[in-house]
Amino acid sequence: MNDLDMDFLVGSDDEGRSRRGSNTSPGRDSGGRRGRRRKRRRNRGGFLAPMLAIIVLIGGVGAAGFYGYTWVRDVMTPDDYTGQGSGEVVVQIKEGQSASDIAQTLQEQDVVKSVKAFVDAIGAAGKSSSLQPGEYTMRKQMAAAEAVKLLDPEKRLREKVTLKEGLRLVDTLKQLSKETGKPLREFQQAAKNVRELGLPPYAKGKLEGYAFPATYEITPRMTASEILTRMVDRFNQTADKDDLQGKAKALGHTSHEIMTIASIVQAESGSKDDMGKVARVIYNRLDRDPPLKLSMDSTVMYGLNKYGIESSHKDLESISPYNTYRHLGLPPGPIANPGDDAIQAALNPTKGDWLFFITTCPAKGITKFVSTESEFFVLKQEYERNKVNGC
């Protein structure tokens, strides 16, 4: 091996001297040239090694980054089904449930594969705050995004039932049974279990008068008791809004008496405009000294479980406590379920001195009010004539 090769292997110090000794003469050209060549070769070797290390390092980091990204992606992407699913399942969303609560329910019923998939999907759709309680028809093993679409409030399972003002309880229960498909006996039994319905204390344990008439959304899973409870809740809300107890006390009556008056107003009035006047006639008769019997056909018919606007002579012989031709004062309780207009009329009767009224033309709902008995008999004759003529 020549000196050049040996010098390359062992290297030299910064002044070009060999690590084997320092006897080389600085004046020799060949020594100088060899020193410069050794320096250039040393520089090339010193550059390549770090570069190789950097390349290896970058390669390692790149591989680690790729596999790391793949791992993070797999961890961060939630488990989710694909497609629109199959079969059918009814899912119930309860009042006050959050998106996470609903996602848990959906996962438990195998509608979605994971809670996170649904939460992410509904967040992406911007519908987290628009979920509404109710029952929804879903499918098994749906993609979370597809499940979100089926939770549209417009797609809730529900039946709208409209109950008119003035319906008696017995007719209300029949209508509920017909429109929900639930047996009538379930509603009848629920109506007897008044402790479960949330009736106010002044209702005296009777549902009549307190099953508030309105339009209700009824879902298939609701029981008869739950439906009637919702109706009582609606009444309680109306009573609070109208300050029923406070205004009843100011009028010198109990809340139950006001509801009884409201039910008679509802049954006897031909129109909303007549309600305040009918209420005034009732108060004027009750407050007269001595008081007058109410003499309302609607109460007589209720006591006999009959329908109509005119009692027969036989009907008037009834000993029912609802026969206000026989008994002074109000009947024991409401004779129907009055609406808010009738309740308002009972609380705010129109000012007047009327003691009598008669619907002279039932077909057109024309009712006239007078203050004396002689005027009443004139109206009675008008009614008889109109009845013959079909009015």
Side-chain angles (χ1 to χ4, degrees):
M1 178 179 296
N2 58 33
D3 290 341
L4 178 61
D5 294 332
M6 182 61 68
D7 288 344
F8 176 74
L9 289 175
V10 300
S12 63
D13 59 18
D14 290 340
E15 296 178 357
R17 293 188 299 269
S18 170
R19 293 177 182 173
R20 290 178 298 172
S22 56
N23 296 328
T24 305
S25 171
R28 295 173 56 186
D29 291 340
S30 60
R33 286 193 299 271
R34 284 197 303 271
R36 287 192 296 272
R37 283 195 296 270
R38 285 197 301 269
K39 187 175 183 179
R40 286 195 298 269
R41 290 179 183 178
R42 183 178 71 243
N43 289 342
R44 285 197 300 267
F47 172 75
L48 289 176
M51 281 297 296
L52 180 60
I54 291 172
I55 291 172
V56 171
L57 178 61
I58 291 174
V61 170
F66 173 76
Y67 289 111
Y69 165 76
T70 303
W71 178 82
V72 170
R73 180 194 63 191
D74 291 341
V75 170
M76 296 300 291
T77 302
D79 291 336
D80 196 4
Y81 291 124
T82 59
Q84 297 184 352
S86 61
E88 184 176 294
V89 59
V90 175
V91 174
Q92 181 181 24
I93 294 179
K94 298 179 181 178
E95 192 77 40
Q97 281 192 312
S98 65
S100 296
D101 296 331
I102 295 167
Q104 186 66 42
T105 299
L106 294 175
Q107 184 185 43
E108 289 171 357
Q109 296 188 237
D110 198 28
V111 174
V112 299
K113 195 168 187 179
S114 68
V115 168
K116 184 168 176 25
F118 178 79
V119 171
D120 287 353
I122 201 164
K127 295 183 177 181
S128 298
S129 60
S130 64
L131 294 171
Q132 293 187 20
E135 295 179 11
Y136 299 80
T137 299
M138 311 290 285
R139 291 185 289 272
K140 293 278 190 178
Q141 300 185 355
M142 303 179 68
E146 296 296 325
V148 170
K149 295 177 183 178
L150 292 186
L151 289 178
D152 186 330
E154 294 301 317
K155 296 181 179 180
R156 287 176 295 173
L157 293 174
R158 62 184 189 253
E159 184 76 33
K160 285 191 175 183
V161 178
T162 299
L163 300 164
K164 296 189 302 181
E165 295 89 345
L167 277 181
R168 295 177 185 176
L169 180 62
V170 63
D171 297 316
T172 298
L173 301 183
K174 288 178 181 177
Q175 184 178 342
L176 289 171
S177 174
K178 180 180 179 181
E179 299 203 31
T180 64
K182 298 181 185 297
L184 176 59
R185 65 179 179 275
E186 290 186 11
F187 286 100
Q188 292 171 333
Q189 185 62 40
K192 293 177 182 178
N193 296 330
V194 291
R195 291 184 179 180
E196 299 179 5
L197 304 182
L199 280 170
Y202 53 78
K204 297 185 176 181
K206 301 289 186 181
L207 182 58
E208 186 78 84
Y210 301 96
F212 194 79
T215 297
Y216 294 92
E217 288 188 357
I218 298 174
T219 65
R221 292 190 185 185
M222 289 179 69
T223 66
S225 181
E226 288 171 336
I227 294 170
L228 295 181
T229 298
R230 180 168 293 186
M231 297 175 72
V232 173
D233 288 344
R234 181 67 179 274
F235 165 77
N236 288 329
Q237 292 169 8
T238 301
D240 289 342
K241 174 182 69 68
D242 294 343
D243 187 22
L244 176 60
Q245 295 192 69
K247 290 184 177 179
K249 184 177 181 180
L251 288 167
H253 290 277
T254 67
S255 298
H256 188 64
E257 288 172 338
I258 293 297
M259 289 306 299
T260 301
I261 292 171
S263 71
I264 298 173
V265 168
Q266 186 77 67
E268 293 281 352
S269 300
S271 69
K272 178 181 175 181
D273 293 337
D274 292 336
M275 289 182 172
K277 293 181 178 181
V278 172
R280 174 53 65 191
V281 170
I282 294 172
Y283 283 115
N284 285 347
R285 284 179 164 263
L286 292 173
D287 296 340
R288 194 173 178 85
D289 187 18
L292 292 175
K293 294 178 179 137
L294 292 182
S295 301
M296 299 288 176
D297 291 289
S298 59
T299 65
V300 175
M301 303 301 270
Y302 178 83
L304 296 172
N305 196 27
K306 295 173 67 173
Y307 296 85
I309 63 171
E310 186 177 12
S311 304
S312 67
H313 290 294
K314 184 177 180 180
D315 294 334
L316 297 180
E317 294 174 356
S318 165
I319 61 172
S320 162
Y322 289 89
N323 185 353
T324 53
Y325 281 88
R326 177 183 288 268
H327 305 289
L328 278 171
L330 291 166
I335 62 171
N337 294 294
D340 192 39
D341 290 333
I343 297 173
Q344 287 286 348
L347 292 172
N348 304 282
T350 305
K351 291 182 178 180
D353 60 355
W354 310 290
L355 289 171
F356 305 88
F357 67 89
I358 186 169
T359 303
T360 56
C361 183
K364 296 180 180 179
I366 299 174
T367 302
K368 296 183 179 181
F369 299 81
V370 293
S371 302
T372 65
E373 193 172 33
S374 60
E375 290 174 310
F376 172 74
F377 284 126
V378 172
L379 294 180
K380 180 74 171 175
Q381 291 173 0
E382 181 182 345
Y383 165 71
E384 295 295 342
R385 290 194 303 271
N386 288 336
K387 186 167 63 171
V388 173
N389 297 326
C391 182

